């Protein structure tokens, strides 16, 4: 007989055919299950309601297990019970099928044989069955001792047998003797808290778990478990509305979120062909396509899909918070008296939770919508908002209109919240969950749930923004002074910290609008500041910070901050100490909030050096820049002094001949002295000199310096890069210099795979040195050394290589240098040529990270006759953004269009060919 479920109707036809097949055996049943699963998968691809499919799979398993059960001999009063997810009828393709065989009978040989034959049948037809054999009394005792058993029994569903035993178990489970008072509630909410901690208390992981992450299916399950435990007479969710546990709006929202998450989980199982609940990169794009998403002008299909996912889990988190708070109030109200005190004429405190003093408060006085969060942020003793008041807030959302947004008093309240001493970020998160923040700042509403599908941005734009705000707040915490010593000192000088927080809130607010998000964000920030009637001076500072929020990071990582000219240019852009302090704090918070792996000793040292050198330049005055020639002379003199007569001044000057200004601008006197002594002691040895030290240069504090001094020959850069890569070392900076004697003075700053220096470890240093000596002895063999595996996550990002070549004089500083290189071997040294006017061609390579990348680039340089002078290496998530300063073999910028095109094409070919990845 047809049902209201078209999936069950289709499956019923197949099951009937199986039942009526003569001599049907295990193979026949297994094929029926497999064919039925393919049919359900096709239904899913055809966008049939996933709830019908999940119900259909549960129905099919019910019928199949009953078919086998009824062929066996079971003791009297033995029942087959579905528990757990199967009990609630929530079966995805590879969900566990948890069974309880409930019986008072003794498990004798006959009973055991029936059990074994039944379970073996299930396994033989490829059903992942878990089972337990218990008496009713055992179930009751275990439910009292183990919350997991108790939870499974709450969802128990009779499949076959008489119901009396199960009814007895459920009656006992729901009694006060099992988990007295608030015991079940407290234990389940503590369990949720631990689970959330496991996922860093965020629903916005790059590869979230659709079952267990915050806001995912488990957060819906816990609402149902607690509801059913304390209110066992209700079997359907709609009955909880009648008991005033949910409103219809909340119930419908919960069902909508659950339906979306079911789609995701079903699709994951289908694609992975196993019980996969992690929304891995491997599946995100395919799943987005199956669910009907397509690319548009602003967002990729996968970004739209992930945005909807994050919106769903965000809504689930808000409902979970409110409903659990409501349950707690209902449960506790029967156990302890209600203690209420007045805060003001508008709000009360009830058992440490704030509540509105009347149901019309937010409708009649809309400003209180913001005021309640200000009060929470200014009172540490308050734990949150009562559930009825949360509901009133959600009902009042239509009051947040243009009039509300332009109200000066509301603007003052919002700025007061940003100044609040305690839980400012927590209150912003609450405002977002309740839908208030996105309405009050519509620009912010557009970035909620917006995911950038890459490994550089670990979080959605909104989650990243609020994490940045939390870092800014934590910078004031003395406990973090050891991790952020300079930041901790600088933030103490900020008089209006709320302006810094406001800039943080707006810094990425124009993401996804198309165009330059820094410029568009500047516009949005200025408009908001005008809307809430901030002073022009304060509004300009906030807008400037939004516009420049990437500048300091890019300067530190892509410019030569050992060059006084670069420092002077950055100081001129900043203008004064006030702007420098704000930009420094915003930048450090931004890096830390973007990706936990980005902030390491290396980047910390770059930011510290840029800040301190810029502060020094501002104190000197922009009209009195540092003279680089004086600085070079000072460092050379200091190095000679440090050598203390071990090497004569004449010998030092001879070694330094034509080394180039950059070497002396970059290195400290201590490093210069060490290199000079090593070169002098190395004598005329043909073996390369390799010196490995923790760098003494504050620019590169936190990195390990590898200095190579050897006769110039082809492929040196490529071979060196390959050798270091094979050791799982990442090059973060490179300087390539060839002296007038055709000797190279190459310096690399490296970090290990965890972003740390190699430390004072002689055995590791020796391993690095020996491999470099081996590879530099025959640099032409370097390609065979690149064997490292590309990580799984990075394989799923297709970043076509971009090669940007520039000969703009504004970007290409003149240098004083001797011959520089990877110069082909045996080329004349051009000692008679003046290099005072030497300028570089700047080549920027943006591509997907992969092992051996720099070695491949180096090989192209050799093939194309390109000389590499220096490099700035930056890896951001899965994306590489490297800058190379190069010339042709005549030490001139590469200006011929044909040569530029040939170089660009060769780089792209080397990096983008499938067999090169």
């Amino acid at each position: 007989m047809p049902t209201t479920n078209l999936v069950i109707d289709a499956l019923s036809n197949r099951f009937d055919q199986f039942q009526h097949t003569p001599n049907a055996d295990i193979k026949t049943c297994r094929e029926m299950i497999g064919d039925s699963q393919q049919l359900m998968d096709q239904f899913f691809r055809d966008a049939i309601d996933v709830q019908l499919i999940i119900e259909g799979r549960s129905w099919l398993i019910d019928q199949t297990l009953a078919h086998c059960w009824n062929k066996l001999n079971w003791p009297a009063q033995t029942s087959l019970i579905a528990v757990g997810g199967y009990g609630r009828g929530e079966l995805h393709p590879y969900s566990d099928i948890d069974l309880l065989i409930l019986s008072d009978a003794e498990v004798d040989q006959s009973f055991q044989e029936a059990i074994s034959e039944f379970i073996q049948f299930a396994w033989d037809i490829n059903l992942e069955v878990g089972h337990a054999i218990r008496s009713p009394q055992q179930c009751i005792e275990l439910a009292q001792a183990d919350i997991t058993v108790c939870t499974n029994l709450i969802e128990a569903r009779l499949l076959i047998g008489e119901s009396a035993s199960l009814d007895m178990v459920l009656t006992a489970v729901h009694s006060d003797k099992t988990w007295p008072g608030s015991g079940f509630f407290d234990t389940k909410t503590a369990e949720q808290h631990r689970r959330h901690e496991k996922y860093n208390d965020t629903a916005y992981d790059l590869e979230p778990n659709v079952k267990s992450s915050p806001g995912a299916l488990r957060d819906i399950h816990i609402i149902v478990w607690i509801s059913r435990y304390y209110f066992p007479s209700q079997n359907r969710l709609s009955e909880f509305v009648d008991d005033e546990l949910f409103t219809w709006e909340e119930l419908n929202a919960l069902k909508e979120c659950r339906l979306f998450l079911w789609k995701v989980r079903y699709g994951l199982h289908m694609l992975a062909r196993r019980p996969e609940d992690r929304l891995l990169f491997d599946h995100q794009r395919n799943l987005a396509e199956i669910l009907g998403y397509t690319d548009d002008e602003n967002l990729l299909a996968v970004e739209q899909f992930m945005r909807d996912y994050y919106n769903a889990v965000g809504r689930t988190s808000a409902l979970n918070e409110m409903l659990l708070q409501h349950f707690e109030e209902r449960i506790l109200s029967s156990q302890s008296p209600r203690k209420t005190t007045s805060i003001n004429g508008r709000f009360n405190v009830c058992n440490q939770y704030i509540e509105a003093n009347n149901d019309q408060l937010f409708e009649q006085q809309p400003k209180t919508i913001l005021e309640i969060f200000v009060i929470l942020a200014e009172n540490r003793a308050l734990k949150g908002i009562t559930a009825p008041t949360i509901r009133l807030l959600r009902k009042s959302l239509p009051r947040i209109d243009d009039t509300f947004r332009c109200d000066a008093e509301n603007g003052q309240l919002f700025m007061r919240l940003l100044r609040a001493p305690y839980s400012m970020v927590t209150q912003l998160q609450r405002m977002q969950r309740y839908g208030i923040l996105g309405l009050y700042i519509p620009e912010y509403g557009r970035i909620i749930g917006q995911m950038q599908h890459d490994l550089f941005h670990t979080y959605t734009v909104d989650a990243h923004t609020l994490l940045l705000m939390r870092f800014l707040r934590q910078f004031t915490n003395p406990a973090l002074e050891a991790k952020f010593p300079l930041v901790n000192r600088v933030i103490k000088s900020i008089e209006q910290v709320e302006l810094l927080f406001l800039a943080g809130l707006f810094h990425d607010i124009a993401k996804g609008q198309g165009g330059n998000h820094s410029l568009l964000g500047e516009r949005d920030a200025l408009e908001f500041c005008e809307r809430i009637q901030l002073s022009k001076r304060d509004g300009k500072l906030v807008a400037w910070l939004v516009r420049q929020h990437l500048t300091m990071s890019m300067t530190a990582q892509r410019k030569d901050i050992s060059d006084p000219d670069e420092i002077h240019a950055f100081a001129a852009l900043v203008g004064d100490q006030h702007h420098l302090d704000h930009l420094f704090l915003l930048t450090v918070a931004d890096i830390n909030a973007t990706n936990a792996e980005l902030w390491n000793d290396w980047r910390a040292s770059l930011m510290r050096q840029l800040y301190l050198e810029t502060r020094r330049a501002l104190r000197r005055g922009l009209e009195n820049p540092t003279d680089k020639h004086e600085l070079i002379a000072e460092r050379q003199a200091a190095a000679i002094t440090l050598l203390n007569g071990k090497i004569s001044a004449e010998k030092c000057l001879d070694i330094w001949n034509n080394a180039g200004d950059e070497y002396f601008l970059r290195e400290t006197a201590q490093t210069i002295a060490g290199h000079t002594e090593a070169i002098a002691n190395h004598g005329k040895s043909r073996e390369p000199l390799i010196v490995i030290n923790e760098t003494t240069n504050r620019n590169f504090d936190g990195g390990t310096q590898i200095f190579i001094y050897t006769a110039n020959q082809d492929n040196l850069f490529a071979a060196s890069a390959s050798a270091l890569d094979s050791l799982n070392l990442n090059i973060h900076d490179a300087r390539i210099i060839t002296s007038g004697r055709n000797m190279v003075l190459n310096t690399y700053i490296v970090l290990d795979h965890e972003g740390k220096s190699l430390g004072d470890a002689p055995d590791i240093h020796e391993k690095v040195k020996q491999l470099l000596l081996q590879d530099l002895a025959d640099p032409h063999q370097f390609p065979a050394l690149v064997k490292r595996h590309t990580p799984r996550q990075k394989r799923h990002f297709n970043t076509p290589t971009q090669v940007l070549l520039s000969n703009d004089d504004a970007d290409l500083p003149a240098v004083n240098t001797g011959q520089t290189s990877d110069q082909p071997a045996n080329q004349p040294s051009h000692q008679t040529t003046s290099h005072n006017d030497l300028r570089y061609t700047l080549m920027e390579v943006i591509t997907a990270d992969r092992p051996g990348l720099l070695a491949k680039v180096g090989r192209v340089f050799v093939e194309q006759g390109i000389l590499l002078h220096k490099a700035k290496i930056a890896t951001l998530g899965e994306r590489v953004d490297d800058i190379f300063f190069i010339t042709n073999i005549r030490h001139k910028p590469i200006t011929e269009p044909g040569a530029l095109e040939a170089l660009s094409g060769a780089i792209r070919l080397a990096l983008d060919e499938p067999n090169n990845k």
Side-chain angles (χ1 to χ4, degrees):
M1 180 176 179
T3 70
T4 57
N5 187 321
L6 63 87
V7 177
I8 290 179
D9 290 342
L11 294 174
S12 178
N13 292 332
R14 294 186 178 230
F15 187 76
D16 287 345
Q17 291 174 12
F18 159 71
Q19 279 191 310
H20 292 94
T21 300
N23 302 316
D25 56 9
I26 287 176
K27 180 175 180 293
T28 310
C29 187
R30 184 167 57 241
E31 290 173 350
M32 182 272 296
I33 292 287
D35 291 345
S36 297
Q37 187 57 56
Q38 289 181 13
L39 177 63
M40 287 183 280
D41 289 350
Q42 189 57 52
F43 279 139
F44 181 77
R45 291 179 182 276
D46 292 340
I48 300 299
D49 186 347
V50 71
Q51 182 167 343
L52 299 180
I53 300 173
I54 288 173
E55 290 173 355
R57 178 164 171 77
S58 294
W59 177 89
L60 179 66
I61 301 306
D62 289 354
Q63 305 307 309
T64 305
L65 294 176
H67 173 80
C68 176
W69 181 275
N70 290 328
K71 290 188 173 185
L72 301 171
N73 294 318
W74 299 98
Q77 297 183 335
T78 298
S79 303
L80 182 64
I81 313 295
V83 294
Y86 182 33
R88 63 178 177 267
E90 190 176 326
L91 275 190
H92 295 269
Y94 292 91
S95 293
D96 291 337
I97 300 170
D98 293 325
L99 298 171
L100 169 64
I101 298 174
L102 187 63
S103 178
D104 261 328
E106 179 185 353
V107 183
D108 57 15
Q109 183 176 351
S110 174
F111 193 180
Q112 186 60 59
E113 287 176 354
I115 294 168
S116 298
E117 188 172 346
F118 177 70
I119 298 302
Q120 186 63 52
F121 167 80
W123 280 94
D124 286 345
I125 61 174
N126 296 330
L127 297 183
E128 296 289 334
V129 168
H131 73 286
I133 308 148
R134 295 183 183 131
S135 68
Q137 186 58 38
Q138 287 174 325
C139 288
I140 294 168
E141 292 172 357
L142 285 170
Q144 293 171 344
D146 188 335
I147 193 74
T148 302
V149 174
C150 183
T151 304
N152 279 338
L153 288 172
I154 289 170
E155 299 180 306
R157 178 170 59 91
L158 180 67
L159 294 177
I160 302 172
E162 54 87 23
S163 62
S165 295
L166 178 60
D167 291 342
M168 180 182 73
V169 169
L170 294 180
T171 299
V173 164
H174 288 288
S175 72
D176 263 353
K177 293 181 180 179
T178 305
W179 291 85
S182 63
F184 185 83
F185 176 88
D186 293 340
T187 306
K188 294 309 290 185
T189 51
E191 185 181 272
Q192 174 173 285
H193 179 69
R194 290 192 298 272
R195 174 169 53 82
H196 285 187
E197 281 188 331
K198 179 181 176 182
Y199 293 96
N200 299 316
D201 282 311
T202 180
Y204 304 102
D205 281 343
L206 199 63
E207 296 179 313
N209 188 303
V210 71
K211 179 181 177 182
S212 301
S213 288
L217 285 166
R218 207 42 114 204
D219 280 12
I220 298 176
H221 297 157
I222 195 172
I223 294 170
V224 177
W225 293 334
I226 292 172
S227 300
R228 286 182 173 164
Y229 182 83
Y230 287 101
F231 307 95
S233 61
Q234 285 83 1
N235 292 315
R236 295 182 302 165
L237 285 176
S238 58
E239 294 175 340
F240 294 124
V241 176
D242 300 332
D243 201 39
E244 298 183 350
L245 291 176
F246 302 166
T247 66
W248 281 113
E249 180 185 4
E250 292 159 1
L251 177 60
N252 290 333
L254 202 63
K255 286 183 174 180
E256 185 179 325
C257 293
R258 183 181 66 178
L259 196 65
F260 180 84
L261 295 173
W262 275 354
K263 288 181 184 178
V264 176
R265 192 179 187 209
Y266 188 99
L268 281 174
H269 282 209
M270 183 182 75
L271 290 171
R273 301 203 172 280
R274 58 189 173 85
E276 178 62 84
D277 293 324
R278 296 169 300 163
L279 192 45
L280 301 176
F281 292 133
D282 309 50
H283 306 306
Q284 288 177 11
R285 291 182 187 274
N286 290 337
L287 194 50
E289 181 180 351
I290 290 171
L291 295 178
Y293 292 89
T294 57
D295 296 349
D296 64 28
E297 60 183 8
N298 291 323
L299 293 174
L300 298 173
V302 68
E303 291 173 336
Q304 297 172 55
F305 163 56
M306 293 304 294
R307 178 190 59 194
D308 287 350
Y309 172 83
Y310 291 120
N311 281 335
V313 295
R315 293 171 67 197
T316 301
S317 292
L319 288 165
N320 174 274
E321 176 194 6
M322 186 196 65
L323 291 172
L324 291 184
Q325 176 61 29
H326 181 55
F327 295 158
E328 183 177 19
E329 291 166 10
R330 286 280 296 265
I331 295 164
L332 291 178
S333 66
S334 62
Q335 301 177 25
S336 59
R338 177 182 169 89
K339 299 177 182 178
T340 302
T341 57
S342 175
I343 295 177
N344 53 33
R346 298 171 295 282
F347 297 102
N348 302 324
V349 176
C350 177
N351 298 332
Q352 294 185 285
Y353 286 84
I354 191 170
E355 66 177 6
N357 69 357
N358 71 80
D359 291 350
Q360 298 301 313
L361 176 65
F362 301 123
E363 290 291 330
Q364 294 172 352
Q365 301 180 59
K367 68 165 188 162
T368 55
I369 295 172
L370 295 180
E371 184 187 12
I372 190 172
F373 298 101
V374 175
I375 293 172
L376 280 165
E378 292 178 344
N379 293 269
R380 179 175 282 175
L382 294 176
K383 295 167 63 175
I385 305 174
T386 63
T389 301
I390 295 174
R391 282 176 169 150
L392 292 176
L393 279 167
R394 291 167 67 92
K395 287 175 61 177
S396 70
L397 293 181
R399 298 306 305 269
I400 305 175
D401 53 17
D402 286 341
T403 301
F404 182 96
R405 297 181 193 102
C406 295
D407 187 293
E409 189 174 359
N410 288 336
Q412 292 169 10
L413 281 169
F414 188 74
M415 296 306 291
R416 183 175 153 194
L417 171 62
L418 297 184
R419 285 194 300 272
Y422 302 121
S423 58
M424 178 266 291
V425 179
T426 299
Q427 303 319 316
L428 288 174
Q429 290 173 324
R430 277 199 174 105
M431 289 173 67
Q432 177 173 321
R433 284 200 300 273
Y434 303 160
I436 294 167
L437 188 59
L439 285 174
Y440 182 57
I441 308 176
E443 300 88 348
Y444 185 88
R446 290 196 291 266
I447 64 170
I448 293 176
Q450 182 178 315
M451 183 67 183
Q452 296 184 89
H453 195 67
D454 56 40
L455 280 172
F456 175 47
H457 298 90
T458 303
Y459 306 102
T460 59
V461 181
D462 56 313
H464 159 71
T465 296
L466 293 180
L467 184 58
L468 179 150
M469 301 282 281
R470 190 170 295 283
F471 271 107
L472 286 174
R473 170 52 66 86
Q474 291 174 346
F475 287 163
T476 64
N477 186 347
L480 291 179
E481 187 171 358
K483 183 176 181 181
F484 300 106
L486 181 57
V487 164
N488 192 266
R489 292 197 298 273
V490 172
I491 202 165
K492 292 175 183 176
S493 68
I494 304 297
E495 294 181 3
Q496 293 178 277
V497 71
E498 66 271 20
L499 299 180
L500 179 62
F501 291 148
L502 186 57
L505 192 63
F506 271 80
H507 82 288
D508 273 351
I509 209 157
K511 286 281 184 74
Q513 292 186 28
N516 187 318
H517 81 278
S518 298
L519 297 178
L520 295 173
E522 176 190 33
R523 175 204 63 195
D524 290 344
L526 199 56
E527 289 176 356
F528 178 78
C529 292
E530 292 171 352
R531 191 160 72 223
I532 67 171
Q533 300 180 34
L534 275 188
S535 70
K536 286 187 177 181
R537 179 177 181 275
D538 291 346
K540 285 182 178 179
L541 174 62
V542 172
W544 182 87
L545 287 169
V546 172
R547 178 178 181 135
Q548 303 295 344
H549 75 273
L550 297 174
T551 303
M552 193 167 191
S553 175
M554 298 308 291
T555 300
Q557 295 182 78
R558 299 178 63 179
K559 300 289 186 178
D560 184 359
I561 59 174
S562 64
D563 187 341
D565 291 342
E566 293 287 2
I567 296 297
H568 185 266
F570 180 70
L573 182 145
V574 171
D576 57 42
Q577 188 69 41
H578 183 67
H579 284 73
L580 175 63
D581 288 345
H582 283 77
L583 186 58
F584 172 65
L585 295 168
L586 180 62
T587 304
V588 174
D590 193 14
I591 295 172
N592 277 274
T594 296
N595 186 321
E597 296 180 2
L598 288 181
W599 187 255
N600 51 31
D601 291 345
W602 166 257
R603 284 190 171 87
S605 70
L606 290 178
M607 291 299 301
R608 179 174 65 249
Q609 183 64 17
L610 179 56
Y611 174 83
L612 294 175
E613 293 294 343
T614 305
R615 185 178 68 177
R616 180 169 176 263
L618 290 170
R619 288 176 175 175
R620 286 175 58 94
L622 296 177
E623 68 280 4
N624 296 306
T626 302
D627 184 282
K628 66 171 62 179
H629 299 293
E630 287 183 15
L631 184 59
I632 290 170
E634 288 174 3
R635 286 187 179 167
Q636 290 179 338
I640 290 172
T641 301
L642 287 171
L643 287 167
N644 197 26
K646 296 177 185 176
I647 304 172
S648 68
E650 291 76 17
K651 179 66 173 176
C652 289
L653 293 173
D654 182 56
I655 291 173
W656 296 339
N657 183 39
N658 289 328
D661 291 354
E662 290 179 78
Y663 175 79
F664 297 102
L665 288 171
R666 168 192 173 88
E667 305 296 354
T668 64
Q670 182 179 348
T671 299
I672 294 167
H675 288 172
T676 303
E677 184 176 4
I679 291 171
N681 293 336
H682 194 63
K684 296 183 179 180
S685 171
R686 291 177 176 269
E687 184 179 78
L689 168 67
I690 298 172
V691 179
I692 302 175
N693 288 305
E694 298 305 290
T695 178
T696 59
N697 189 329
R698 288 181 301 166
N699 283 359
F700 307 105
D701 187 20
T704 296
Q705 183 190 76
I706 299 176
F707 175 71
I708 300 174
Y709 178 77
T710 188
N712 185 37
Q713 55 180 318
D714 292 352
N715 286 10
L716 275 181
F717 169 73
S720 301
S722 177
L724 296 173
D725 180 82
S726 69
L727 292 167
N728 212 4
L729 298 178
N730 297 313
I731 298 173
H732 282 257
D733 193 84
R735 289 295 188 275
I736 314 299
I737 299 174
T738 304
S739 74
R741 296 183 178 88
N742 207 30
M743 300 293 290
V744 299
L745 297 86
N746 294 351
T747 307
Y748 302 95
I749 303 295
V750 302
L751 299 175
D752 67 15
H753 67 285
E754 294 181 346
K756 299 178 181 179
S757 69
L758 302 185
D760 186 14
D763 54 334
I764 296 177
H765 289 193
E766 184 62 25
K767 181 179 179 180
V768 174
K769 180 178 178 180
Q770 290 304 318
L771 184 59
L772 281 169
L773 287 172
Q774 171 187 318
D775 292 356
L776 295 180
D778 189 3
H780 297 282
Q781 297 301 314
F782 77 89
L785 301 173
V786 183
K787 298 182 182 296
R788 267 205 294 138
H789 177 66
T790 300
R792 174 190 62 79
Q793 288 184 329
K794 293 185 177 182
R795 292 199 305 270
H796 295 281
F797 291 95
N798 181 20
T799 306
T801 298
Q802 300 178 57
V803 180
L804 308 177
L805 291 156
S806 171
N807 280 301
D808 185 348
D809 284 352
D811 294 330
L812 308 174
V815 295
N816 292 312
T817 179
Q819 189 175 346
T820 61
S821 203
D822 253 325
Q823 178 174 312
N826 303 318
Q827 290 293 323
S829 64
H830 298 279
Q831 293 182 59
T832 60
T833 302
S834 169
H835 295 284
N836 290 341
D837 296 324
L838 177 62
R839 294 182 180 276
Y840 307 130
T841 290
L842 184 148
M843 183 181 81
E844 183 175 6
V845 176
I846 302 170
T847 190
D849 190 22
R850 83 285 310 262
L853 186 147
L854 288 177
K856 293 169 185 174
V857 172
R859 179 171 59 188
V860 172
F861 286 165
V862 172
E863 293 169 351
Q864 296 286 319
I866 301 299
L867 308 183
L868 174 64
H869 299 258
K870 58 181 178 178
K872 295 285 283 185
I873 311 300
T875 302
L876 308 173
E878 89 291 348
R879 191 183 77 167
V880 164
D881 191 347
D882 293 345
I883 297 175
F884 303 90
F885 296 82
I886 58 178
T887 66
N888 61 24
I889 202 168
R890 298 182 302 279
H891 309 286
K892 299 293 184 182
I894 305 162
T895 57
E896 300 85 354
L900 292 169
E901 183 57 36
L903 174 59
S904 175
I907 293 289
R908 291 197 303 271
L909 180 64
L911 300 183
D912 283 348
E913 281 293 306
N915 61 346
N916 287 332
K917 290 190 177 181

